Amino acid sequence: MSARAEITVTVNGLSTTRAVDPRLLLSDFLRHELGLTGTHVGCEHGVCGACTILLDGRSARACLMLAVQADGATIDTVEGLGSMEALGRVQTAFRDHHALQCGFCTPGFLMTITDMLRHHALESDAQIREALSGNICRCTGYEHIVNAVRELARERGPLK
């Protein structure tokens, strides 16, 4: 058994320090150590995008990283986008466009879209579909998701 490593991360604006197994995946750290179960684990190979989080402001696959690799990082999970009482803007667009089906893939889509809206123009449906190509919806609800992102891209302010 390996010695535990101490890490400090800021998750959804709250700093936390924990001793973790050096082989603990970031997705498992978020889900089991911090109780942030919105980060889903689908394929465990970084292919489906269900575990997407923002790491220092950019989308990353939490199932492909060790928690110790995130030491010192700022992490945003789907729980940080809003709450049941006050949905965030991306969540509201998903609701308004019926972009939710079974919901398993939704947290990963929401985090990917948050990153893409901050860093990419998304000026056409082709660009939106390319931006979302790393996330898989088993229910194949892509058209409603594209509609939600199209609305968000149209209403957003200047690109960052």
Side-chain angles (χ1 to χ4, degrees), residues 16-94:
T16 187
T17 300
R18 299 285 173 103
V20 299
D21 184 309
R23 297 177 301 165
L24 181 67
L25 292 173
L26 181 57
S27 56
D28 291 335
F29 173 74
L30 294 169
R31 291 180 58 81
H32 304 300
E33 296 285 329
L34 301 184
L36 299 171
T37 57
T39 302
H40 291 171
V41 178
C43 67
E44 298 184 75
H45 299 286
V47 176
C48 74
C51 67
T52 303
I53 54 142
L54 298 184
L55 183 76
D56 292 330
R58 297 307 304 250
S59 59
R61 303 288 202 242
C63 76
L64 295 180
M65 285 189 65
L66 299 172
V68 295
Q69 292 175 298
D71 185 30
T74 297
I75 298 168
D76 295 298
T77 69
V78 71
E79 288 89 348
L81 293 181
S83 66
M84 292 296 289
E85 297 78 27
L87 295 177
R89 183 61 193 109
V90 178
Q91 294 165 314
T92 300
F94 261 56

Side-chain angles (χ1 to χ4, degrees), residues 3 9 22 24 31 70-71 83 93 98 105 113 115-116 123 125 127-128 130 133 137 141-142 144 155:
V9 292
L24 181 67
R31 291 180 58 81
D71 185 30
S83 66
H98 309 287
C105 67
I113 292 164
D115 179 25
M116 294 299 149
E123 295 172 334
D125 283 4
Q127 289 177 342
I128 292 170
E130 175 66 23
S133 65
C137 172
Y142 296 106
H144 296 288
E155 73 181 23

Side-chain angles (χ1 to χ4, degrees), residues 144-160:
H144 296 288
I145 294 171
V146 170
N147 291 341
V149 176
R150 185 184 310 117
E151 176 182 296
L152 292 164
R154 284 183 182 155
E155 73 181 23
R156 109 182 121 198
L159 296 176
K160 294 181 180 178

